[in-house]
Amino acid sequence: MTSQAADGPDMVAASRRSKITPEREREFFDAVLEQIRECGYDSVSMEGVAASTRCSKSTLYRQWKTKPQFVAAALRANREVRFAGVDTGSLAQDLREVARAAGDWSRKDTKLLSALGHAVHSDEALAQALREALVEPEIAALQQILRRGVERGEVPEGHPALDYVPAMMFGVLRVRPVLTGEYADADYLVRFVEAVALPALGLT
């Protein structure tokens, strides 16, 4: 490799990026997501995050060129599959456990989804990051739970309600704050599963 190649833009960018430790990067990501939850996406600025984390705004701009890029990176770093470990051996019980897990994080994630609502409609990259972080992993894990129930013979393959269970779960998380001003906590979601999802699947 020539010295010119070694000193090219990509190498310089990599050198600059390496100055931020993973712990410091996590601080930046936590700060921007929390500010979005509390203030809304439009009110958050790179300058505001820099002030709250006591860094220069040039540090953030050097690492992430724009606010949407910064927020998208924070969302992807925040990716966590909360339903992945649910496997009780019973589909009905699995869905109750999914409800409890969803209830534990519904307030934070529902606030974030709501705060990003308008922004994701105008920025496809941000919308994709949101889906990758908060939606697609959970849907994939939930679909795997449903497949295991089918394989065990608890629900017939091709049962028409199977395709709608993810929409039921995510729908009630989003809509309850609108209808009642309250988040869908674990108790509420377990009752919802028992009253709606299980009967739809022919389970008790």
Side-chain angles (χ1 to χ4, degrees):
M1 179 182 293
T2 67
S3 60
Q4 183 178 5
D7 293 335
D10 291 343
M11 296 300 293
V12 172
S15 175
R16 286 172 175 171
R17 286 178 65 86
S18 67
K19 294 179 181 179
I20 298 178
T21 66
E23 294 76 17
R24 189 65 166 141
E25 187 176 66
R26 170 53 63 184
E27 283 185 52
F28 295 150
F29 289 159
D30 288 346
V32 71
L33 295 181
E34 187 57 30
Q35 288 189 25
I36 290 170
R37 291 186 189 99
E38 296 306 318
C39 307
Y41 178 82
D42 290 339
S43 298
V44 174
S45 66
M46 300 286 263
E47 291 81 357
V49 175
S52 69
T53 55
R54 297 182 180 180
C55 76
S56 67
K57 64 182 180 182
S58 62
T59 297
L60 299 181
Y61 278 112
R62 188 164 58 241
Q63 187 84 351
W64 304 283
K65 304 302 182 186
T66 65
K67 182 172 80 169
Q69 288 181 19
F70 183 26
V71 174
L75 288 167
R76 289 191 171 97
N78 197 53
R79 177 173 174 165
E80 181 181 355
V81 187
R82 299 172 179 88
F83 301 158
V86 175
D87 186 2
T88 67
S90 159
L91 180 54
Q93 192 57 31
D94 281 353
L95 292 176
R96 292 185 181 97
E97 290 302 313
V98 163
R100 293 186 183 99
D104 289 342
W105 49 261
S106 69
R107 182 182 181 89
K108 287 182 69 176
D109 281 3
T110 301
K111 286 180 73 174
L112 187 59
L113 285 164
S114 297
L116 287 168
H118 176 71
V120 297
H121 289 300
S122 57
D123 190 315
E124 179 54 35
L126 189 60
Q128 182 59 33
L130 182 65
R131 289 192 293 269
E132 289 175 3
L134 299 181
V135 179
E136 292 172 356
E138 306 303 349
I139 288 178
L142 185 51
Q143 288 172 336
Q144 185 176 33
I145 288 169
L146 294 168
R147 281 196 298 272
R148 287 199 299 264
V150 172
E151 290 166 2
R152 289 192 296 261
E154 297 172 86
V155 179
E157 187 169 0
H159 191 294
L162 286 168
D163 289 341
Y164 297 101
V165 172
M168 289 181 194
M169 296 301 298
F170 280 88
V172 73
L173 283 166
R174 291 297 305 276
V175 79
R176 195 187 189 209
V178 177
L179 294 179
T180 68
E182 298 179 88
Y183 290 98
D185 60 17
D187 288 343
Y188 179 87
L189 287 172
V190 170
R191 294 197 304 271
F192 174 82
V193 163
E194 292 177 341
V196 179
L198 297 187
L201 293 167
L203 301 172
T204 57

